[in-house]
Amino acid sequence: MSGKPRLTYFNGRGRMESIRWLLAAAGVEFQEIFFESREQYEKLIKDGVLMFQQVPLVEIDGMKMVQTRAILSYIAGKYNLYGKDLKERALIDMYVEGITDLMQMILMFPFSPPEAKEKTLDSIKERATNRYFPVFEKVLKQHGQDFLVGNKFSWADVQLIEAILAVEENIPGVLSEFPLLQAFKIRMSNMPTIKKFLQPGSPRKPPADARYIETVSRILKQ
Amino acid sequence: MAGKPKLYYFDGRGKMESVRWLLAAAGVEFEEEFLETREQYEKLLQGGSLLFQQVPMVEIDGMKMVQTRAILSYIAAKYNLYGKDLKERALIDMYVGGTDDLMGFIMMFPFLSAEDKEKQRAVVVQKATSRYFPAYEKVLKDHGQDFLVGNNFSWADVHLLEAILMVEEKKSDVLSGFPQLQFCDTFKQKMFPGSQEVI
């Protein structure tokens, strides 16, 4: 019944990148369709495929799923990356939501005007080092385990390694006060599926460049 | 083990309102502590109760939960309002994502100037009637059932009702093009039989 999941989005990170990460971490191969023109996007809307007229869209197990969080939750549930019970799921959800708030700042960063970029970067650094990274450093310190929740690899670990790398791209050395997160980063990067995803030629997308910004703005008419 | 859940927030809707709705719909009584002063907030912060230094925070089943979506997911699952399997949960998550986006346009209202309020009202109505309501109208029309998912009352229904009522506060006849959604009143009866004071 199900072939590979099929992702429809722009040819860049945006909101789809977390989905690519999670599928890759789960060892799931997937196909991708990239928007290049407004016409492609409008056709999808007209065909009634996008429930709220938005992407990401992931076709998986006979469903045309939209809403990033819904898609990620489904993948996590399906591939046993969502903890063993309700309480572990609650922890994973809390951690993922917090990291997502930080990732949201990074997502919007390429689209901020040049004069605001430095200030935005300062905000990202402040939030990362004062609000988010200390929490996860403390979680790892308190239980002394390799993974954030339940001594087992989960969606929360994938989301955190993605965020760490994304922040570091913009702010090198941001982990300097967080030794456990440094160790976590190395550990996660060496997990076979993640290691593969971090190598050239994987579905991982590069940071937003001028071409990506132009494409998104043109297609979404922003 | 468990007393009543306890909600920590300002004395108003904001991000906590969806949590109040869901607990009420599940028939769960809860307590509330309203933040009135900076000192209260700082006390919570210093006590380490707020994982990311933010509210909403809900004490439930020995956890101090933060992040609205995490809280709502936990409540939905605990009280069987999350569908019967992974696919129904996926649908519920999708639908809730949409109503969440819609309510997000409304949540900022109290903080806008009078002029911006008018502009935002138009945005809310436009998004509701061209993007969100048509999507839920179609879901109900296609399967012809009373509830959005799996022919069973779920978090998605609660969230949609909350969103509809919020938009109606901005434009009272906003449901005029949506006969399926007008069954809002029937929803209310089904969801809160005999407890009119909840609404």
Side-chain angles (χ1 to χ4, degrees):
Chain A
M1 172 212 78
S2 50
K4 295 179 188 174
R6 195 166 80 165
L7 282 48
T8 302
Y9 199 65
F10 310 100
N11 189 358
R13 289 184 182 177
R15 292 186 187 284
M16 188 63 97
E17 193 71 354
S18 295
I19 294 167
R20 297 182 184 110
W21 265 93
L22 192 56
L23 284 169
V28 177
E29 279 182 33
F30 52 90
Q31 297 172 340
E32 299 202 68
I33 294 180
F34 300 120
F35 284 146
E36 298 291 330
S37 71
R38 173 109 191 138
E39 287 67 40
Q40 273 177 289
Y41 178 55
E42 283 176 350
K43 179 166 191 297
L44 273 186
I45 293 179
K46 222 187 313 165
D47 290 347
V49 166
L50 305 178
M51 184 171 181
F52 304 114
Q53 301 152 18
Q54 297 165 317
V55 284
L57 166 70
V58 173
E59 293 165 85
I60 183 169
D61 297 339
M63 299 183 286
K64 291 178 169 27
M65 286 200 73
V66 296
Q67 289 288 326
T68 313
R69 213 186 258 107
I71 296 165
L72 288 165
S73 287
Y74 180 75
I75 295 166
K78 181 176 177 178
Y79 294 103
N80 293 312
L81 296 169
Y82 222 159
K84 71 177 196 298
D85 58 26
L86 218 52
K87 284 205 167 177
E88 284 195 353
R89 219 170 82 196
L91 280 179
I92 290 167
D93 277 341
M94 272 199 282
Y95 296 165
V96 161
E97 289 296 301
I99 298 164
T100 301
D101 284 348
L102 176 60
M103 289 294 290
Q104 179 71 12
M105 298 174 82
I106 296 171
L107 196 106
M108 300 309 301
F109 178 57
F111 296 91
S112 59
E115 62 272 15
K117 276 196 160 50
E118 194 181 326
K119 193 155 172 251
T120 308
L121 214 53
D122 284 343
S123 295
I124 293 173
K125 184 178 181 185
E126 197 272 331
R127 279 288 142 96
T129 54
N130 287 337
R131 180 172 286 190
Y132 296 106
F133 288 170
V135 167
F136 300 108
E137 182 81 6
K138 185 177 176 198
V139 166
L140 291 170
K141 190 170 182 190
Q142 283 187 330
H143 60 45
Q145 291 162 5
D146 282 351
F147 305 106
L148 285 171
V149 178
N151 207 12
K152 192 165 180 269
F153 183 54
S154 78
W155 175 19
D157 301 300
V158 183
Q159 196 65 76
L160 181 56
I161 178 73
E162 181 192 358
I164 284 172
L165 294 179
V167 176
E168 272 190 333
E169 271 172 357
N170 292 298
I171 307 165
V174 71
L175 284 191
S176 57
E177 317 264 289
F178 305 103
L180 294 180
L181 289 182
Q182 288 171 37
F184 174 85
K185 174 190 156 189
I186 294 169
R187 227 168 30 244
M188 292 301 121
S189 302
N190 282 318
M191 291 190 66
T193 51
I194 293 181
K195 191 169 185 179
K196 191 171 168 203
F197 188 63
L198 291 174
Q199 274 157 7
S202 82
R204 189 180 185 215
K205 301 292 171 280
D209 59 10
R211 184 176 180 275
Y212 175 72
I213 293 165
E214 185 278 327
T215 307
V216 172
S217 304
R218 171 169 41 90
I219 293 179
L220 295 183
K221 285 214 166 83
Q222 278 167 351
Chain B
M1 166 211 78
K4 295 178 188 173
K6 189 165 171 184
L7 280 48
Y8 293 78
Y9 200 65
F10 312 103
D11 186 7
R13 288 181 181 175
K15 287 187 187 286
M16 189 61 100
E17 193 70 354
S18 294
V19 177
R20 297 182 184 108
W21 268 92
L22 191 56
L23 285 169
V28 177
E29 279 182 34
F30 52 90
E31 294 172 349
E32 299 200 67
E33 183 164 313
F34 299 122
L35 298 182
E36 305 277 329
T37 67
R38 175 97 197 153
E39 286 70 36
Q40 270 177 291
Y41 175 58
E42 284 180 354
K43 186 159 176 263
L44 277 179
L45 278 176
Q46 271 141 35
S49 296
L50 306 179
L51 188 65
F52 302 113
Q53 303 154 23
Q54 298 163 315
V55 286
M57 191 269 278
V58 174
E59 284 173 351
I60 182 168
D61 297 340
M63 298 183 288
K64 288 178 168 33
M65 285 200 74
V66 296
Q67 291 291 336
T68 314
R69 189 62 76 83
I71 295 164
L72 290 166
S73 289
Y74 181 77
I75 295 167
K78 183 177 175 178
Y79 295 102
N80 292 313
L81 295 170
Y82 221 161
K84 70 178 196 298
D85 58 26
L86 215 55
K87 281 200 170 180
E88 286 194 354
R89 219 171 81 196
L91 285 178
I92 290 167
D93 279 338
M94 263 202 292
Y95 298 167
V96 161
T99 39
D100 212 36
D101 286 346
L102 177 57
M103 288 200 276
F105 290 109
I106 303 175
M107 214 169 280
M108 62 181 72
F109 249 79
F111 303 97
L112 297 176
S113 69
E115 188 194 332
D116 285 341
K117 275 192 169 94
E118 270 316 298
K119 286 191 196 146
Q120 191 65 9
R121 182 190 309 261
V123 167
V124 167
V125 170
Q126 191 265 335
K127 295 272 176 193
T129 54
S130 66
R131 175 173 290 187
Y132 295 103
F133 289 171
Y136 300 106
E137 180 82 7
K138 180 172 195 289
V139 168
L140 291 169
K141 190 170 177 199
D142 282 354
H143 61 44
Q145 291 162 6
D146 283 348
F147 304 107
L148 285 169
V149 178
N151 208 13
N152 225 330
F153 181 52
S154 79
W155 174 21
D157 302 299
V158 182
H159 218 242
L160 177 57
L161 178 56
E162 184 190 357
I164 285 172
L165 294 179
M166 279 179 87
V167 179
E168 274 185 333
E169 278 172 354
K170 300 296 171 219
K171 186 171 192 286
S172 56
D173 63 348
V174 73
L175 281 193
S176 60
F178 303 100
Q180 298 285 336
L181 296 183
Q182 281 167 35
F183 278 107
C184 184
D185 279 317
T186 319
F187 269 1
K188 277 189 232 168
Q189 289 305 315
K190 283 185 191 318
M191 281 165 34
F192 305 101
S195 54
Q196 290 303 308
E197 71 271 9
V198 174
I199 304 280

